[in-house]
Amino acid sequence: MPEGLPSGCMPEGVADSGFKRAASPAPGSNPDMSDGWRALAQPLPSEPEQKRAKLTRGDKRKAQGVRKANADETVLDAVELFLRSVWLEGHPEAEASSVPKTFGWPETSKQGEAEFCRAAPIPAKLAGGAEADCEFDVFVHELTERGVGIATRETLDEVRTMISKGSRPWVFTAPFTLRGERVRVRSVRHEWGYTQSDTLSISEQSPLRIDAPCQYFGKCSGCHLQHVAYGDQLEFKRQVVERALVQANPLFAKLAVSSVSPSPLPFGYRTKLTPHFDIRKDTPPDQVAIGFAMAGQRRVLDIEDCMIGTDAVRLGAKQARKDARAKMSSFKRGATLLVRETNVPKDDPQGDVSSIPAADLVKDYVLDFKGWVTDVVGELKFRYPASSFFQNNASILPAFTGYVRDELNQWSRRLAAEGGPGELRHLIDAYCGSGLFGIACHAGFDKVLGIEISNESISCANDNAKMNGIDNCDFLLGDASKLFDKVDTDPRHTAVIIDPPRKGSNPDFLDQLVAYGPRVIVYIACGVPAQARDINHMFSRGAISIDGAVATVETKPSSVYEVVSIQPFDLFPQTYHVENIVTLVRKE
């Protein structure tokens, strides 16, 4: 048991994640609890006296709610990645396949896992006045893909010793921290193999830390990386993509991930905000918080102004707050507001935009869920319902869509020059939405076919093609999993764009895609782990070759692809989110 640990709180006992691992600070220094970081910890009400006894009988507590299925997978993945990397440091000659699958308990010992998880620190909310005994000085060793610190009470050297002896450190999450920092945390909730914590103060800072410009940072859950310079945010996100690929399949470490394409606007970029509020019986209507969720809490933080919104959105948010307060007494449970940027004719905000050039439109905002929005991407216009999905960073969309268009065009020319079947002549846009990629990439193709399950989106996509004077696009209603029932084009002259939701595609669609065998596939993802999983599914079917290696399968697919480029884009600066584009080309 580490010295100084309160009785009953704790028992005895890679990849890079964006920033170089700093040497762990020497233990023993007293943390400097700054007022700014103390503000992050909300005062906790005193509990009945009998709850204090729980601090002294931690070995007898039941593991209520401690189930692996309830734990945050991004934390579990980061913990395992960290432990693996430490183990490999001590075994530099070892193969990756020889790394233990578990650390600290036998692989098949459910009892050992349960006993380990029951031995967590008591959460502060159960401390019954002894909250100070639930505060710990910890060392941050790693970051999850969501930018949350993975920390232990042990220094990095002490963790190395534990791992070498076959034991496992208890882990704390530490939000808004960086690798190499020493911080003070308060335990909030015990999970499977780790404890969720609030960060109270930082005693030893990373050299990468900067002052966040937003007054709400650290309290609002909307942004996660404002304490990191923008260039370092981009490197962190590039390595998030690398990590996701390696976690899906260690062989994917051979794939090169390009530098993240930055947003032209690190702040003031977001074209949509959805503030919300809850009605509480003990809160007067004029004091109801309107904003976004507090970090780590199920409460709303009042946000008067959001720095990542565009000028039009920030102006609209002020009006939305004013309107909501004026009719607050009419709400019973609360509501979600909508603020969305739109483009309108300069002299007639309600006028028809279809005949007006995109360059002649001006910015405005929409607050009505039933309203309509017009977005501008270069010289193209896209119109859709305010409540439907569209990318929320207009400043990067010309480069984002332009990259996909350029990938398709360059491979069409290259394949034509190499002989064989010739250039690409047909484009299929699966999960097409309102037609963004199909319309933006239509030039050079004889025919563009899009498919989407939403009738409203299909109607918008066809209207958008017509509004932009494009006559080679046809958008059809249907499920992407049945897309190839509608396709009669020669796959040797066809490219397919897939842009599924965050959960990724599904095995049936991917198997049909491989069976159809288009010459080029461009996979656009907002959920990078799901994208890596889908690529690994194709690899497991023998449909992807990695550095000449192909999975052994009973039935060989008719098409085998190479991953020719991986290009991340930062559509959401200051947050952990990253979009990623993978281009696959069929081998002949």
Side-chain angles (χ1 to χ4, degrees), residues 369-389:
F369 279 87
K370 297 181 180 179
W372 283 77
V373 170
T374 300
D375 251 312
V376 171
V377 181
E379 297 180 354
L380 298 172
K381 295 172 292 185
F382 294 88
R383 190 161 170 78
Y384 54 90
S387 59
S388 63
F389 172 80

Side-chain angles (χ1 to χ4, degrees), residues 10 123 150 192 225 343 356 429 496 498 576:
M10 181 79 78
I150 296 298
W192 184 272
L225 300 175
N343 293 266
I356 301 177
D429 183 8
V496 174
I498 61 174
Y576 61 76

Side-chain angles (χ1 to χ4, degrees), residues 4 27 58 111 238 258 304 311 316-317 323 332 338 379 408 412 433 441 520-521 524 566 571:
Q111 180 180 357
R238 187 189 69 81
S258 300
E304 294 186 353
D311 290 343
D323 293 346
K332 294 183 178 181
L338 173 67
E379 297 180 354
L408 295 171
S412 181
C441 301
V520 176
I521 301 172
I524 304 162
I566 302 175
L571 270 69

Side-chain angles (χ1 to χ4, degrees), residues 210 228-235 261-266 570 573-574:
I210 64 172
V228 184
Y230 189 50
D232 293 322
Q233 291 184 34
L234 297 176
E235 175 59 14
S261 182
S263 170
L265 298 174
D570 189 18
Q574 317 309 325

Side-chain angles (χ1 to χ4, degrees), residues 146-169:
R146 296 178 178 175
V148 176
I150 296 298
T152 67
R153 285 178 55 83
E154 296 80 16
T155 65
L156 183 58
D157 286 340
E158 291 170 339
V159 171
R160 291 190 180 109
T161 300
M162 294 180 70
I163 294 298
S164 68
K165 294 180 178 180
S167 59
R168 177 188 185 107

Side-chain angles (χ1 to χ4, degrees), residues 345-414:
K346 183 176 182 180
D347 299 325
D348 183 11
Q350 304 300 321
D352 182 15
V353 301
S354 59
S355 61
I356 301 177
D360 294 338
L361 300 176
V362 297
K363 303 297 183 185
D364 200 352
Y365 61 81
V366 171
L367 305 182
D368 186 358
F369 279 87
K370 297 181 180 179
W372 283 77
V373 170
T374 300
D375 251 312
V376 171
V377 181
E379 297 180 354
L380 298 172
K381 295 172 292 185
F382 294 88
R383 190 161 170 78
Y384 54 90
S387 59
S388 63
F389 172 80
F390 200 83
Q391 297 289 357
N392 295 326
N393 183 346
S395 72
I396 200 174
L397 286 185
F400 192 45
T401 57
Y403 174 83
V404 176
R405 181 185 63 245
D406 292 345
E407 281 286 276
L408 295 171
N409 289 341
Q410 72 149 323
W411 277 104
S412 181
R413 294 192 299 269
R414 185 168 172 178

